[in-house]
Amino acid sequence: MAEPLQPAPARPMTVRVHSAVGTAVVLWQGASEAVAREHHVEWTVDTDIAWPGNAWPSASETPELRDDGDHILFRGRLALAEDGVAVLELGGPVILFDLAEPPLPEGVDGSWVEVRVAQDRVAVWPYEV
């Protein structure tokens, strides 16, 4: 469920998204009248994974989503696809990331990682199942 927050003038609406693994304030890409209802959402993250700049190994093997100042912290299991895309699995939901240079270190595929992304680079798009 998304909880409306006060939008800033001339900026996209932000919402607090509640999920099974945590909450975070993100940009809302749906109709404003749909905000206070429960939705399935597609996550869009407009940031590449840059190791170790915004991604690193996690000491915990528990998926998590949370605010971290003006950033969002995602913790999940990372899978690398052959097409150069990384998939972060958050206990069910998945988020796709592109990979920055240099390449990720050996052995990171299948490991638990944390990825920290600026809040204004994360959006959710509601959809019907």
Side-chain angles (χ1 to χ4, degrees):
M1 177 161 85
E3 168 190 337
L5 300 177
Q6 185 65 29
R11 295 190 60 185
M13 178 184 285
T14 57
V15 295
R16 178 166 300 281
V17 174
H18 300 265
S19 77
V21 297
T23 68
V25 175
V26 299
L27 299 174
W28 176 255
Q29 299 297 330
S32 59
E33 60 273 4
V35 169
R37 298 192 311 251
E38 192 167 320
H39 298 278
H40 293 278
V41 295
E42 179 178 320
W43 291 85
T44 301
V45 179
D46 190 20
T47 298
D48 296 348
I49 288 183
W51 200 273
N54 68 347
W56 51 86
S58 175
S60 174
E61 294 185 357
T62 303
E64 183 179 25
L65 166 70
R66 68 177 165 87
D67 294 317
D68 185 25
D70 59 351
H71 287 76
I72 308 295
L73 185 81
F74 299 95
R75 182 188 313 133
R77 187 181 301 267
L78 189 68
L80 302 178
E82 291 181 17
D83 59 358
V85 173
V87 178
L88 188 65
E89 195 268 324
L90 298 172
V94 297
I95 299 174
L96 301 178
F97 287 91
D98 288 324
L99 300 173
E101 292 293 328
L104 298 181
E106 294 274 334
V108 75
D109 189 24
S111 67
W112 284 84
V113 301
E114 294 182 2
V115 181
R116 188 171 183 259
V117 179
Q119 182 184 50
D120 64 353
R121 309 293 285 186
V122 181
V124 292
W125 299 77
Y127 67 90
E128 299 288 326
V129 178

